[in-house]
Amino acid sequence: MMFSLSLKQSTLPPIPKITNHRTITISPVKSISLPPKINKPLHVSLIQTYGSLQSLKHDDDDHREKSVTVCKAYEADGDEFVVEKTEAAKRVKIGFYFATWWFLNVIFNIYNKKVLNAFPYPWLTSTLSLAAGSAIMLVSWATKVAEPPTTDLDFWKALFPVALAHTIGHVAATVSMSKVAVSFTHIIKSGEPAFSVLVSRFVLGEAFPMSVYLSLLPIIGGCGLAALTELNFNMTGFMGAMISNLAFVFRNIFSKRGMKGKSVSGMNYYACLSMLSLLILTPFAIAVEGPKMWAAGWQNAVSEIGPHFIWWVAAQSVFYHLYNQVSYMSLDEISPLTFSVGNTMKRISVIVSSIIIFHTPVQPINALGAAIAIFGTFLYSQSKQ
């Protein structure tokens, strides 16, 4: 609520004397200098008690108690300018986050596909991605580059199902990209909203407007059309992308349930998630593939590609962590709706760039299916508004 005040220049009354000898702590208040003449209306922005002092006794007023308050005022035009400037800075910050997020994701997918083409061991590749991110954050915390989070046992208990779903989704997506083109994996993964609605409806019992259900039709139809017309269709790659969709839906559900009331920043939250996922994934990666297969595959890849292969592995591992970290940091600044729109645009950038870089053959009907699916994802994000 705003109040208009008319202020006249006058001599401020002397600070009343305190007659008793009690020790009183007064919070410092910055002095405010008013201009000689104010032609614009002033509005009250804050009225508060003067520090911790609730009342003062005056000698010249029969020791009657009076409350001392502080009024802070501002000019309307000036404050509106500050608000507009703050909003503009926030938009620039969000735009920077989105551009960085998309760029890092494209770089990760390019190097990830290069590694998997030469070294077809998705379980180890997934493990290295999580290990690189965990190492980066441990060093950042140790050197005070980033403030380490304050966690307890309840935090890690709530995080465990999130990390389990994240691990399954991460490995399944990597398995998919080891079998099919990057563009095909991301076309199928654009159908994640359909999984989200179906799981929320039949598992959690949530109801949605009819517009949300209608938006699923182009998503499902477009993904199906793209899959049927894919020249290099592979069932393992297709199922990997589908499992990844389902796992990430449960990850989001568990995250919403388990992290209520937790005051951990997006960057540190994803760091803890990576570390716990690494602990979960490592024994399974060893059991499924194993050191002997890794050693033979690594030697073969280095002999064929050369030292560049080591750079590819390092790049895909580091960029995986960076793009996920930036996406979680952006969640601190934007709404889930804006995030979902950004995620849709991210998939477009990955699909287009991978087709260009890897010269992926695309039939017109395949491209049409991808466009329909992505358009349906956009409609879904708008209908959830």
Side-chain angles (χ1 to χ4, degrees):
M1 182 180 294
M2 295 250 180
F3 300 94
S4 295
L5 296 178
S6 297
L7 298 183
K8 296 181 179 180
Q9 288 183 313
S10 61
T11 304
L12 292 176
I15 298 176
K17 297 170 60 178
I18 302 175
T19 57
N20 56 10
H21 298 283
R22 290 179 299 170
T23 302
I24 302 174
T25 302
I26 302 178
S27 302
V29 178
K30 296 181 179 179
S31 60
I32 302 174
S33 299
L34 295 177
K37 185 177 181 182
I38 300 177
N39 296 323
K40 298 178 182 178
L42 299 179
H43 301 290
V44 174
S45 64
L46 178 63
I47 300 178
Q48 65 182 19
T49 303
Y50 187 84
S52 59
L53 183 61
Q54 299 299 324
S55 63
L56 293 174
K57 294 187 177 182
H58 295 245
D59 288 336
D60 56 351
D61 200 17
D62 296 330
H63 301 287
R64 288 181 299 174
E65 294 188 352
K66 292 185 178 181
S67 297
V68 178
T69 59
V70 176
C71 297
K72 298 179 181 179
Y74 62 87
E75 293 184 32
D77 293 345
D79 188 72
E80 290 172 0
F81 174 76
V82 172
V83 171
E84 291 178 0
K85 189 175 181 180
T86 303
E87 289 297 324
K90 185 176 181 180
R91 285 194 294 268
V92 171
K93 185 178 181 180
I94 293 173
F96 174 77
Y97 274 152
F98 270 30
T100 306
W101 175 21
W102 298 339
F103 173 75
L104 294 174
N105 188 259
V106 169
I107 299 300
F108 158 72
N109 279 277
I110 291 172
Y111 280 111
N112 185 247
K113 185 59 178 176
K114 285 186 174 184
V115 170
L116 292 171
N117 285 341
F119 185 75
Y121 297 98
W123 287 78
L124 177 60
T125 304
S126 301
T127 305
L128 293 175
S129 300
L130 296 174
S134 300
I136 290 172
M137 290 310 301
L138 286 174
V139 172
S140 299
W141 292 339
T143 57
K144 303 299 182 180
V145 173
E147 188 69 23
T150 301
T151 61
D152 52 20
L153 184 59
D154 291 336
F155 172 86
W156 293 101
K157 286 181 179 179
L159 188 64
F160 181 80
V162 183
L164 180 61
H166 178 75
T167 304
I168 296 173
H170 176 42
V171 174
T174 309
V175 169
S176 176
M177 283 194 284
S178 70
K179 300 295 183 180
V180 296
V182 176
S183 57
F184 178 71
T185 297
H186 280 272
I187 290 171
I188 302 304
K189 283 179 67 62
S190 65
E192 185 176 324
F195 284 84
S196 179
V197 171
L198 295 177
V199 169
S200 298
R201 178 67 182 86
F202 294 105
V203 177
L204 303 179
E206 296 183 12
F208 297 93
M210 182 57 65
S211 58
V212 172
Y213 294 109
L214 292 177
S215 69
L216 301 183
L217 297 179
I219 295 176
I220 297 173
C223 289
L225 183 62
L228 291 174
T229 57
E230 173 64 28
L231 296 177
N232 299 314
F233 180 84
N234 180 278
M235 182 55 71
T236 302
F238 175 76
M239 292 304 299
M242 297 289 282
I243 293 173
S244 178
N245 281 340
L246 187 61
F248 283 140
V249 167
F250 279 104
R251 179 194 66 178
N252 297 337
I253 293 174
F254 293 144
S255 180
K256 289 179 182 178
R257 284 182 170 183
M259 298 310 298
K260 288 182 178 179
K262 303 295 183 182
S263 56
V264 178
S265 67
M267 180 178 65
N268 284 335
Y269 175 70
Y270 181 71
C272 296
L273 181 64
S274 294
M275 294 174 189
L276 191 53
S277 294
L278 177 62
L279 294 177
I280 296 172
L281 176 58
T282 300
F284 288 97
I286 294 174
V288 174
E289 294 175 345
K292 290 184 178 180
M293 297 177 64
W294 295 339
W298 186 275
Q299 184 177 4
N300 183 61
V302 172
S303 62
E304 288 185 1
I305 307 299
H308 292 296
F309 173 73
I310 300 175
W311 159 249
W312 291 356
V313 173
Q316 73 91 28
S317 301
V318 172
F319 280 110
Y320 173 79
H321 173 77
L322 293 179
Y323 101 76
N324 275 288
Q325 187 179 77
V326 172
S327 70
Y328 272 82
M329 290 171 63
S330 66
L331 273 175
D332 289 340
E333 304 290 337
I334 60 178
S335 66
L337 174 64
T338 305
F339 183 84
S340 64
V341 174
N343 202 37
T344 302
M345 301 303 294
K346 179 204 73 175
R347 298 215 184 278
I348 295 175
S349 62
V350 171
I351 291 170
V352 173
S353 61
S354 63
I355 289 174
I356 295 173
I357 292 173
F358 294 107
H359 306 287
T360 306
V362 179
Q363 294 180 327
I365 192 69
N366 186 260
L368 178 62
I372 293 174
I374 293 172
F375 180 68
T377 305
F378 177 76
L379 292 179
Y380 165 81
S381 65
Q382 294 300 307
S383 61
K384 289 273 288 183
Q385 191 171 16

